[in-house]
Amino acid sequence: MERLEGFHGLLSRDRELETRLDQKDYKLLELLRQNARESYAALAAQLGISESAVRKRIMKLKKLGVIRRFTIDYDVPGEVVALILVKTQPPVQTPDVSRKILQNRMVEKVYEVTGEYDILVIARARSSQDINSIIDYIRSIEGVQSTYTMIVLRSY
Amino acid sequence: MERLEGFHGLLSRDRELETRLDQKDYKLLELLRQNARESYAALAAQLGISESAVRKRIMKLKKLGVIRRFTIDYDVPGEVVALILVKTQPPVQTPDVSRKILQNRMVEKVYEVTGEYDILVIARARSSQDINSIIDYIRSIEGVQSTYTMIVLRSY
DNA sequence: GGTGAAAGTGCGACATT
DNA sequence: AATGTCGCACTTTCACC
């Protein structure tokens, strides 16, 4: 019976995968990546479908969690961006550390990764002192073994 | 005379800095970071200014290069995201290497940084084979000494 | 995925401080 | 120089097909 349930679980996963993205979805994501404020009508024209179809696809992509948020890529002169590699140590779980890191409002993005380090943090601050305080904050989290910080000089 | 011109240059720089961002600009950037598709009217209400004022501020921020683009934060199931650290070697200039890296369409973002490595690349691909081909591409660029790749397991 | 009508939004011109 | 007001066209939204 447990085997059957396991099997059933696999089937449900397949069913989820039926909501696979098609070429128009991929193109839509690419268009939105380039300009997230483009009107549905303009997107529709480029995709060769109607404006309401675009809206429904975007809604679906948001519901599926594919589109996480509409945001901006920006660069405030004087602000300091830092990339902070973090090494965690068992038995503390890496996701627990990630969630703690995210609580800092200067943290923009957190990646859990393979390799020598476990987490990469992208942080943004008004000054290098503020970067220092982010690092202090991260190093104070339980399960953080060490950090390695890179200051961003330029980005594209 | 040359001294005077130099001094004049400094003055012009100061004049440019007069287009400093105020608190409303910072708040506007934060609101857009959270939802880049929010209407000007809704943004205006939150900032306590009129809708056309918001429009003009956003225009100004784009013109100043502060807002680089409106984009989406997204996560396609099955796609592989990799963070690739790159070490460059003189006499090749790091920005030249960055520009070459950017030519690869799977490359999403390039940071030039301080520290042991000179560049961090964020790349996105349909499969790990594609990630491999990005790495091969980067390693084939003149001036690239070594790379270190981390595969993203999860991101927030 | 398309249609149509109502509500909401974008945008330029001009007035205001 | 930055903001506010107004008018109109366009866009979005929400029914339903």
Side-chain angles (χ1 to χ4, degrees):
Chain A
M1 204 49 184
E2 278 179 353
R3 272 183 189 283
L4 275 177
E5 276 176 14
F7 188 59
H8 183 67
L10 283 177
L11 282 180
S12 331
R13 271 203 69 178
D14 282 351
R15 220 177 298 131
E16 276 178 51
L17 289 179
E18 279 183 45
T19 56
R20 215 182 268 105
L21 309 189
D22 65 16
Q23 282 313 109
K24 293 208 193 292
D25 287 318
Y26 286 120
K27 186 160 182 197
L28 179 53
L29 289 171
E30 178 54 24
L31 291 171
L32 287 172
R33 197 177 71 82
Q34 285 168 34
N35 179 12
R37 266 190 97 84
E38 194 134 22
S39 77
Y40 294 139
L43 294 167
Q46 291 170 82
L47 289 170
I49 56 181
S50 78
E51 167 261 320
S52 77
V54 169
R55 195 156 0 93
K56 283 166 188 169
R57 276 175 187 264
I58 290 179
M59 219 96 89
K60 178 195 73 183
L61 291 170
K62 281 170 73 174
K63 206 157 232 161
L64 285 172
V66 173
I67 294 179
R68 292 196 170 172
R69 60 149 83 150
F70 296 88
T71 187
I72 49 173
D73 191 351
Y74 70 114
D75 179 30
V76 177
E79 272 192 357
V80 186
V81 176
L83 310 181
I84 308 164
L85 287 165
V86 180
K87 207 174 284 190
T88 61
Q89 59 187 334
V92 174
Q93 300 286 307
T94 302
D96 292 337
V97 176
S98 299
R99 275 187 283 275
K100 280 267 171 55
I101 290 173
L102 274 168
Q103 286 171 18
N104 189 302
R105 61 172 189 78
M106 290 182 272
V107 169
E108 195 164 274
K109 186 93 186 168
V110 173
Y111 295 97
E112 288 174 14
V113 296
T114 61
E116 200 190 342
Y117 285 91
D118 302 292
I119 296 173
L120 176 80
V121 180
I122 300 183
R124 182 190 288 270
R126 295 280 173 90
S127 68
S128 37
Q129 279 116 313
D130 288 344
I131 292 292
N132 233 306
S133 78
I134 298 170
I135 296 167
D136 287 343
Y137 171 71
I138 292 174
R139 294 180 73 98
S140 77
I141 296 168
E142 194 200 335
V144 170
Q145 189 182 116
S146 65
T147 63
Y148 177 77
T149 302
M150 299 168 274
I151 300 296
V152 174
L153 303 172
R154 195 168 181 157
S155 69
Y156 305 86
Chain B
M1 204 47 183
E2 279 180 352
R3 273 184 187 283
L4 276 176
E5 278 176 10
F7 187 59
H8 182 70
L10 283 178
L11 283 180
S12 331
R13 271 205 67 179
D14 281 354
R15 222 176 296 130
E16 277 177 50
L17 288 179
E18 279 182 43
T19 56
R20 215 182 268 105
L21 307 191
D22 65 15
Q23 282 313 110
K24 290 202 193 299
D25 287 318
Y26 287 119
K27 186 160 182 196
L28 179 53
L29 288 172
E30 178 54 25
L31 291 171
L32 287 172
R33 195 178 72 80
Q34 285 168 36
N35 179 11
R37 266 190 98 83
E38 194 135 19
S39 75
Y40 294 140
L43 295 166
Q46 290 169 84
L47 290 170
I49 56 182
S50 77
E51 169 262 321
S52 77
V54 169
R55 211 165 353 110
K56 284 161 192 167
R57 275 175 186 263
I58 290 178
M59 220 101 85
K60 179 195 73 183
L61 291 170
K62 280 170 72 176
K63 206 159 232 160
L64 285 172
V66 173
I67 294 179
R68 291 194 170 172
R69 65 157 121 180
F70 296 89
T71 186
I72 49 173
D73 191 351
Y74 69 113
D75 178 31
V76 177
E79 271 192 356
V80 184
V81 176
L83 309 180
I84 308 165
L85 287 165
V86 180
K87 208 174 284 190
T88 61
Q89 59 187 336
V92 175
Q93 300 286 306
T94 302
D96 292 336
V97 176
S98 298
R99 275 187 283 274
K100 280 265 171 58
I101 290 173
L102 275 168
Q103 285 171 19
N104 190 301
R105 59 171 192 78
M106 289 182 274
V107 169
E108 194 163 276
K109 187 93 184 166
V110 173
Y111 294 97
E112 287 175 15
V113 297
T114 61
E116 199 192 341
Y117 284 92
D118 302 292
I119 295 172
L120 177 80
V121 180
I122 300 184
R124 183 189 286 271
R126 295 280 175 89
S127 67
S128 37
Q129 279 116 315
D130 288 344
I131 293 292
N132 234 306
S133 78
I134 298 170
I135 296 166
D136 287 342
Y137 170 72
I138 292 173
R139 295 181 73 99
S140 77
I141 295 169
E142 195 200 335
V144 170
Q145 189 183 117
S146 65
T147 63
Y148 178 76
T149 302
M150 298 169 275
I151 300 296
V152 174
L153 302 173
R154 195 166 180 159
S155 69
Y156 306 85

